[in-house]
Amino acid sequence: MDANWDDLRLFLAVAREQSLSGAGKTLRLDPATLGRRMQRLETALQTTLFAKSPQGYALTDAGQSLLARAETAERAMRNAVADLPASTDVLSGQIRIGAPDGCANYLLPQVCAAICDQHPELDVQIVALPRVFNLSRREADMAIAVSAPTAGRLVVQKITDYQLHLAAAEGYLGSNPPIQQLQDLRGHRVVGYIPDMIFDRELDYLSDLGITRVPLASNSVSVQINWIRQGGGVGIVHDFSVPAMPGVRRILTDEISLTRAFYLIRHADDRRNLRLSLFAKALTAGLRAEVARLEALA
C-alpha cells in the first residue's frame, strides 16, 4: 500500500525533528495523535520507519528511503503552488461544483472561501446533492465523487483518501449499554443511509459491518450527523466531520476503520480550459490539506 501526501507531510516533520513533541509543535498537533498516525503509516507500509527510544525517533533504512520519496513529493507540491498565477484577475467569473453533502458541508466551504480570498472576482457555487452529477448535461463545471466513473468523456483525478469511524454522542453512550465490540451494536439504535437510496456502493458502510436494520435513516449525511449529535444513536461518520461535532466521539476505532477517497471529475472538453484547470489545482490542494488538518483533530 502506498503512502499518500497527507501521511508523508506528517512523516517529514517527525523525520526532521526526530521526535513527536518537536514535530507536534511544528504541525500544531498533539504528539499522541501524531504517534498514532505514524503507527498507522508503518502498518500501511508494512515496515518499520523509526527506531524509537527515549532519545527520540531515528530513521531506519526503510525510513531513510521513504524520506527521499517524501522530499520529492514535497518539492512537487511546492512547485505546483508556485505555478499558480499571483494575479487576482486570472480566476474570475462563476464556477459551479457538485459534491456529496458530506464534502459539501464540512470541507468545501472553507476551502473555497480561501480560494476566493486570493481571487476576489471569483464566484463559487456549491451544489450539495446525494447523487452522481451529470457533467455531460453541464449540471456543474466539475464534480467531486466517492468513486471514479468508468464511462463517459471525463477526466478523473484522485484528490485524497479519507477515514470514517463509528461515533456517538457522549450523552447517548452514557445512558445506553457499553459498546466494547462490534457485536454490542445489536442492542443499539443505528443511524445511516436509507438503503434503497444509496447512490454509490462506496457509501454502503453498514452492510459491510453486517448491519441490515437502520432505525434512523436519511439520504443526507447532515441529517445523519445531527441525529448522532443529538444522541439519537450510533453511526458511521467522516473523521473530518468530527471536529464540528462537540460532544461526539469515535468508538471501536481499533475494530472498525473505513477508508474511502474523493475524486475530482471534469468533462474532457474542459482539459484545455485554463481557468477551470487553475481552479481545480487550487481546489485539490486545498481539500488534501483540509482533510489532513481535520482528521488530525478527530
Side-chain angles (χ1 to χ4, degrees):
M1 178 178 181
D2 293 331
N4 58 34
W5 168 245
D6 302 336
D7 296 327
L8 295 180
R9 182 179 66 88
L10 302 186
F11 166 79
L12 274 172
V14 177
R16 288 165 175 167
E17 296 293 334
Q18 297 186 5
S19 75
L20 294 179
S21 58
K25 290 178 182 178
T26 301
L27 298 167
R28 297 183 180 179
L29 287 180
D30 177 67
T33 299
L34 194 52
R36 288 194 294 271
R37 290 291 295 271
M38 291 301 96
Q39 184 176 16
R40 187 176 77 182
L41 177 59
E42 289 183 324
T43 300
L45 296 177
Q46 297 182 343
T47 190
T48 301
L49 301 173
F50 298 100
K52 308 171 185 70
S53 72
Q55 286 72 42
Y57 273 45
L59 288 172
T60 63
D61 289 343
Q64 290 285 358
S65 176
L66 182 60
L67 177 62
R69 291 169 54 197
E71 288 179 334
T72 298
E74 182 182 46
R75 286 192 295 272
M77 290 288 288
R78 286 177 176 171
N79 290 339
V81 173
D83 287 342
L84 290 174
S87 61
T88 58
D89 60 352
V90 172
L91 285 180
S92 61
Q94 176 184 295
I95 295 179
R96 177 177 292 178
I97 313 165
D101 65 338
C103 178
N105 278 282
Y106 296 98
L107 296 173
L108 282 180
Q110 60 269 39
V111 170
C112 291
I115 296 173
C116 289
D117 285 343
Q118 299 298 317
H119 303 276
E121 299 303 313
L122 178 66
D123 297 335
V124 175
Q125 298 180 347
I126 299 172
V127 183
L129 290 176
R131 64 172 175 80
V132 176
F133 281 79
N134 190 326
L135 295 184
S136 296
R137 296 177 182 173
R138 297 299 181 179
E139 293 181 334
D141 295 299
M142 58 188 69
I144 295 170
V146 295
S147 62
T150 57
R153 297 185 62 250
L154 303 171
V155 177
V156 182
Q157 174 189 359
K158 183 177 178 179
I159 301 173
T160 187
D161 289 330
Y162 60 92
Q163 308 299 315
L164 305 100
H165 289 88
L166 277 171
E170 294 284 4
Y172 177 88
L173 294 172
S175 59
N176 285 276
I179 303 174
Q180 298 176 335
Q181 53 187 345
L182 180 60
Q183 291 85 340
D184 295 335
L185 290 176
R186 295 171 183 167
H188 289 264
R189 192 164 51 216
V190 174
V191 176
Y193 280 101
I194 299 172
D196 62 357
M197 296 187 73
I198 295 175
F199 64 92
D200 193 301
R201 174 67 183 81
E202 295 294 328
L203 302 178
D204 195 8
Y205 315 127
L206 297 179
S207 66
D208 290 345
L209 302 179
I211 296 172
T212 57
R213 180 170 177 254
V214 187
L216 295 179
S218 173
N219 68 329
S220 165
V221 168
S222 297
V223 172
Q224 295 173 36
I225 284 177
N226 278 316
W227 258 328
I228 293 169
R229 283 180 55 245
Q230 295 168 19
V234 180
I236 295 286
V237 302
H238 309 81
D239 282 13
F240 60 70
S241 71
V242 174
M245 295 186 283
V248 171
R249 67 177 171 89
R250 299 179 304 165
I251 58 176
L252 299 183
T253 54
D254 292 335
E255 190 170 348
I256 300 171
S257 180
L258 305 177
T259 300
R260 296 294 188 269
F262 285 130
Y263 297 86
L264 184 66
I265 304 168
R266 298 174 57 193
H267 197 281
D269 291 345
D270 294 337
R271 279 181 295 189
R272 295 183 180 179
N273 185 314
L274 178 61
R275 188 176 71 99
L276 292 180
S277 295
L278 291 173
F279 180 81
K281 183 181 289 187
L283 182 68
T284 53
L287 285 172
R288 289 184 190 119
E290 188 64 0
V291 168
R293 183 184 75 84
L294 292 174
E295 287 192 344
L297 299 174

